[in-house]
């Protein structure tokens, strides 16, 4: 089927009808239905009281919920609010909705809990997703998701606009760090785990939320690298690379989906019925409801220019399959949609379909039974155990990229200089979606958390640590002072990278890290003292000119609130690093070749996907395949012995890559098809067992459907290779 707009041919998959929902739907007026499809932002019904609290405006709230029948509200009103403030906000809203409206339908409140409940003051804030996937540990993603759901719901919020399942395949893109990396298999594995842990078996439980996978579909590879600009993705590529993570989320039973703000192949996805209906509902079997992204229905008129008016934009989007509009600043969507239905331009059947999905999720969340925050839930919020888990998780993400002559781990009795612009800020460790959208209000970060500098001071004693502040990212950084201080130190820890950003404000024109930072490191290295580079950044900024000048390089990513402590523990050897890159780290700005490249493409990155060092060494032997020849549909067993051949205990991500030797659509030279993480003591050997299924051998054929072709395949695990034939 061609990937063209407005050509729905598959019947939309309808969820089994629920008698409670059907009865309620039967009682609703058109206005009440359209109100359920309307989502406004908290700012419309509140004002800020102070940095940590909003004050609801009773009259405006009544106007929204009672007059316009609004069914959903989102966002934080500018910055994170206290737990108590959230409970108060949700209680007041649900009071109004369930006591003072005709049908007593509760509000579904939605929030971006992207790396923990980041809009609730003091929540547990994990590494961002591109770091989580570097852990190579699905159990850690589950653990972080469980805690995120628990802390979000504890405050009374039942709906999380996460996980982000776009693919980090354009390193310029400012939302690179919100995803699980460049590989579809890795992302799909993480997606499934995250969604299952958010929702559990019963979303009505007091510690679960409805997840929202986003931004469906094809958001992440704008041709220009700039956020919310056009992407061109042929259908084969769309299905091969961009659909699998969403398919995994759908398989996990995700309750809601948010739509790509931008366009693919000239078609804004908010108008793309084939993607929203035929693929998502028809093929992936998604049964929940679809919410627009921020103002994006209106953007069909104001930005994308496919609608001649706001009213036409509403019509196009609703007919394409959008069930709820994140309007979010006014009631224009409501007014236009009521009018469109009254004039027969949007059928009531489409409205019923949308509202049915929304009510069903509200019911699954248990909101009709009890819409209120649990007054005793504070005990589940930001617990000491959650903080401990967060540290463990951050320690498994951090990735050692270079360690010449065993510079690391550092001895704790050395005199250390810590410097660079990311050395003493908490904001840079967390990135966007932290306390504020941009994550840049350093003054609002919890003082008890440690920056890299503070964590190093705590670990080895302040007396051994000198510090020269990195005063800027892109102009003089205090380089002269840092160089002077380096002369007095045994070793230099240079922390460089990026300021915090989120979405469009994070657009850049040059992937190379700013000259000022490269120059700082070059001059520090010129002192002859060993330099350990710590990278704190949301995308792989080019650092080629300094890579050979430094002794060691540690990729910290955006490691979250325990990130400073995690990095220090690895620098000084209390923890052995075990992360491996979930994306390609490019060497040149003109070379964005990724790891799953074709035979004709040369792969010459700074560091490849799947790369990461340890303080110990691992040996691989005895790669065994269960058969030399298999039939279609067989499952092939793969086993390999992994030994810790060094002197330090360590964790290792075992990765299985597959190469289809010859096929009718040019094959990638390798693709990840299995991974697991193991923990080995020195000298210990473990036999790791993985499997390859028919799905793993399949690809999107010339007719754009998924197929399996007979032929020879190569299996690669570390330096070992095996082969088999599919009959
Ligand atoms: C982002 C979404 C987010 C929404 C609500 C948009 O700008 O693209 O990821 O969920 O805002 O905050």
């Amino acid at each position: 089927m061609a990937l063209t707009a407005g050509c729905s041919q598959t019947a939309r998959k309808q969820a089994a009808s629920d008698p409670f929902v059907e009865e309620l739907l039967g009682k609703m007026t058109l206005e009440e239905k359209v109100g359920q499809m309307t989502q406004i932002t908290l700012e419309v019904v509140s004002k800020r009281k102070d940095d940590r609290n909003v004050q609801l405006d009773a009259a405006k709230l009544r106007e929204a919920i009672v007059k316009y029948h609004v069914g959903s509200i989102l966002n934080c009103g500018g910055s994170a609010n206290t737990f108590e403030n959230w409970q108060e906000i949700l209680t007041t809203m649900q009071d109004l909705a369930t006591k003072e409206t005709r049908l007593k339908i509760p509000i579904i409140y939605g929030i971006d809990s992207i790396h923990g409940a980041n809009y609730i003051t003091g929540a547990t804030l994990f590494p961002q997703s591109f770091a989580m996937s570097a852990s190579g540990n699905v159990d850690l993603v589950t653990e972080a998701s469980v805690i995120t759901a628990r802390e979000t719901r504890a405050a009374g919020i039942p709906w999380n606009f996460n996980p982000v399942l776009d693919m980090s395949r354009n390193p310029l893109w400012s939302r690179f760090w919100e995803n699980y990396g460049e590989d579809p298999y890795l992302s799909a594995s993480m997606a499934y785990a995250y969604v299952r842990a958010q929702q559990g078996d019963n979303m009505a439980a007091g510690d679960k939320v409805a997840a929202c996978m986003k931004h469906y579909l094809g958001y992440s590879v704008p041709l220009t690298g700039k956020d919310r600009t056009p992407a061109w993705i042929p259908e084969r590529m769309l299905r091969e690379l961009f659909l699998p993570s969403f398919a995994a989320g759908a398989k996990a039973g995700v309750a809601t989906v948010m739509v790509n703000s931008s366009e693919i192949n000239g078609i804004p996805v908010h108008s793309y019925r084939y993607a929203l209906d035929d693929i998502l509902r028809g093929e992936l079997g998604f049964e929940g409801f679809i919410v627009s992204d921020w103002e994006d229905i209106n953007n069909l008129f104001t930005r994308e220019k496919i609608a001649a008016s706001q009213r036409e934009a509403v019509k196009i989007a609703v007919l394409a399959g959008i069930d709820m509009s994140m309007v979010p600043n006014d009631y224009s969507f409501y007014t236009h949609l009521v009018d469109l239905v009254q004039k027969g331009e949007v059928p009531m059947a489409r409205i019923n379909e949308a509202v049915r999905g929304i009510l069903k999720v509200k019911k699954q969340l248990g909101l009709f039974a009890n819409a209120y925050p649990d007054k005793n839930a504070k005990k589940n919020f930001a617990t000491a155990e959650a903080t401990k888990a967060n540290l463990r998780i951050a320690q498994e993400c951090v990735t050692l990229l270079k360690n010449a002559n065993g510079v690391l781990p550092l001895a704790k009795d050395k005199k250390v200089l810590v410097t660079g612009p990311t050395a003493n800020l908490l904001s840079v460790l967390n990135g966007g979606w932290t306390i504020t959208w941009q994550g840049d209000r350093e003054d609002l970060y919890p003082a008890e958390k440690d920056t890299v500098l503070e964590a190093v001071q705590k670990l080895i004693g302040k007396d051994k640590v000198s510090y020269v502040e990195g005063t800027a990212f892109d102009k003089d950084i205090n380089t002269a002072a840092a160089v002077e201080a380096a002369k007095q130190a045994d070793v230099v820890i240079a922390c460089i990278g990026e300021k915090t950003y989120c979405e469009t404000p994070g657009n850049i024109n040059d992937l190379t890290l700013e000259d000022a930072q490269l120059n700082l490191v070059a001059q520090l290295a010129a002192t002859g003292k060993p330099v350990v580079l710590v990278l704190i950044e949301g995308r792989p900024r080019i650092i080629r000119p300094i890579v050979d000048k430094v002794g060691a390089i540690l990729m910290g990513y955006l490691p979250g609130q325990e990130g400073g402590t995690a990095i220090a523990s690895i620098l000084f050897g209390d923890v052995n690093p075990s992360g491996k890159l979930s994306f390609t780290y490019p060497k040149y700005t003109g070379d964005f070749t990724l790891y799953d490249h074709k035979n004709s493409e040369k792969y010459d990155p700074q560091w490849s996907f799947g790369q990461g060092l340890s303080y110990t060494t691992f040996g691989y032997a005895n790669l065994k395949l269960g058969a030399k020849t298999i039939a279609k549909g067989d499952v092939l067993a793969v086993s390999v012995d992994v030994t810790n051949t060094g002197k330090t205990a360590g964790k290792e991500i075992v990765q299985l890559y597959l190469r289809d030797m010859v096929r009718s659509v040019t094959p990638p030279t390798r693709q990840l098809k299995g991974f697991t993480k193991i923990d080995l003591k020195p000298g210990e050997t473990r036999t790791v067992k993985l499997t390859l299924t028919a799905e793993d051998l399949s690809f999107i054929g010339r007719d754009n459907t998924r197929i399996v072709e007979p032929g020879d395949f190569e299996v690669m695990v570390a330096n070992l290779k095996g082969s088999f034939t599919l009959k």
Side-chain angles (χ1 to χ4, degrees), residues 399-410 491-494 521 530-535 543 546-555 571 607 613 615:
T399 304
L400 181 61
L401 296 175
K402 176 177 180 182
N403 195 15
N405 311 317
V407 171
L408 291 180
L410 299 170
V491 60
V492 179
I493 300 174
V521 177
V531 175
V532 174
L533 206 59
V534 176
L535 299 173
I543 56 164
I546 55 172
V547 168
D548 291 340
K549 296 187 177 8
V550 300
I553 302 178
L554 197 62
M555 179 55 156
L571 289 172
W607 294 287
L613 303 168
Y615 293 153

Side-chain angles (χ1 to χ4, degrees), residues 487-510:
K487 291 176 186 160
Q488 314 306 316
D490 298 321
V491 60
V492 179
I493 300 174
C495 303
I496 60 172
E498 294 188 310
K499 283 184 207 162
T500 148
Y501 55 86
C502 197
E503 300 185 39
T504 309
N507 283 352
I508 48 173
N509 290 316
D510 188 348

Side-chain angles (χ1 to χ4, degrees), residues 24 27-29 32 97-98 100-106 368:
L24 184 54
K27 289 184 195 154
M28 292 170 81
T29 62
E32 283 164 339
T98 64
E100 300 196 35
T101 66
R102 193 176 73 93
L103 295 171
K104 310 189 182 335
I105 303 174
F368 287 102

Side-chain angles (χ1 to χ4, degrees), residues 285-304:
F286 169 69
E287 292 187 353
F289 73 84
I290 301 175
V291 63
S292 82
D293 200 347
W294 188 272
E295 230 179 329
D296 280 324
I297 293 184
N298 203 26
N299 279 336
L300 296 177
F301 164 56
T302 56
R303 190 182 64 202
E304 312 302 351

